[in-house]
Amino acid sequence: MTTTPKDTSTPPASPSSTNVNVSTEPTGGSIWTATRVIALIFTVLEVLLLVRFTLKLLGANAEQALVSAIYGITEPLVAPFRGIFAQPAGTPVVEIATLLSIIFFVLVAALIVAIARAVTGKRTGSTA
């Protein structure tokens, strides 16, 4: 019994089977970039604050260069929140001011991103 080989090649695609979407409207690339940059900046600040909180919690040596640098960088971010809640006397183990500043910067970042998207968002139709 002889069998004929089957043609396994695919037929050439017809011009009508290719879909190409071309849009003349801007895709919002600049707002995407702006919101990503804003998010990156605030994420760096929040990570530095979390590192500060962890170092304070674990009782890191403030005389060590890296620890001192992180405390120095983050002090202006934490200072406005000092005194909101009373700290127990002695060395603070849980620095509440740092936690408040982290929450504050998360909310500010979300607000700035939302405002940027609202201002530069795509407008559909005119209401004239």
Side-chain angles (χ1 to χ4, degrees), residues 51-107:
V51 169
R52 175 193 175 100
F53 178 78
T54 305
L55 291 172
K56 290 276 189 174
L57 185 66
L58 298 175
N61 179 9
E63 299 300 319
Q64 199 272 342
L66 179 64
V67 175
S68 178
I70 290 174
Y71 287 171
I73 291 169
T74 57
E75 183 59 34
L77 304 173
V78 175
F81 300 97
R82 291 204 191 286
I84 292 177
F85 294 104
Q87 282 291 123
T91 306
V93 176
V94 175
E95 194 176 38
I96 296 176
T98 302
L99 291 177
L100 290 174
S101 65
I102 292 169
I103 294 168
F104 174 77
F105 284 110
V106 166
L107 294 175

Side-chain angles (χ1 to χ4, degrees), residues 104-116:
F104 174 77
F105 284 110
V106 166
L107 294 175
V108 167
L111 179 65
I112 290 173
V113 168
I115 289 172

Side-chain angles (χ1 to χ4, degrees), residues 21-82:
N21 294 329
V22 178
S23 176
T24 58
E25 296 181 25
T27 59
S30 62
I31 188 60
W32 183 87
T33 303
T35 56
R36 292 295 175 190
V37 169
I38 292 167
L40 175 66
I41 291 168
F42 278 96
T43 300
V44 168
L45 292 176
E46 292 158 13
V47 167
L48 284 172
L49 288 167
L50 281 171
V51 169
R52 175 193 175 100
F53 178 78
T54 305
L55 291 172
K56 290 276 189 174
L57 185 66
L58 298 175
N61 179 9
E63 299 300 319
Q64 199 272 342
L66 179 64
V67 175
S68 178
I70 290 174
Y71 287 171
I73 291 169
T74 57
E75 183 59 34
L77 304 173
V78 175
F81 300 97
R82 291 204 191 286

